[in-house]
Amino acid sequence: MSKPASDPFDPAVPVPDADALNRAIRELWARADGRLSADEQRIYQALVLKWAAAQRGDVGTAA
């Protein structure tokens, strides 16, 4: 049984570094075969926001 994905909007979940977020974004696109569902789009948007904040070093804004 697979572990459910954590909610990227949950502020209690620690924000990974930019490299880990980049990997998660790439994996999401690979699993979706280039077409994201509505739920996957929500996850993608959250990951991109967190990635951008991590790039700036502003992790608090991403949460």
Side-chain angles (χ1 to χ4, degrees):
M1 185 167 157
S2 66
K3 185 172 110 179
S6 62
D7 183 351
F9 291 110
D10 185 352
V13 175
V15 178
D17 66 15
D19 290 336
L21 289 162
N22 188 26
R23 282 191 303 275
I25 290 167
R26 290 177 183 273
E27 289 170 8
L28 177 64
W29 277 105
R31 283 192 314 268
D33 199 27
R35 188 168 177 97
L36 300 176
S37 69
D39 190 46
E40 289 167 330
Q41 287 175 17
R42 184 181 73 86
I43 292 168
Y44 170 75
Q45 290 171 356
L47 288 170
V48 168
L49 288 173
K50 287 186 176 190
W51 174 84
Q55 284 289 95
R56 290 189 314 265
D58 185 15
V59 176
T61 301

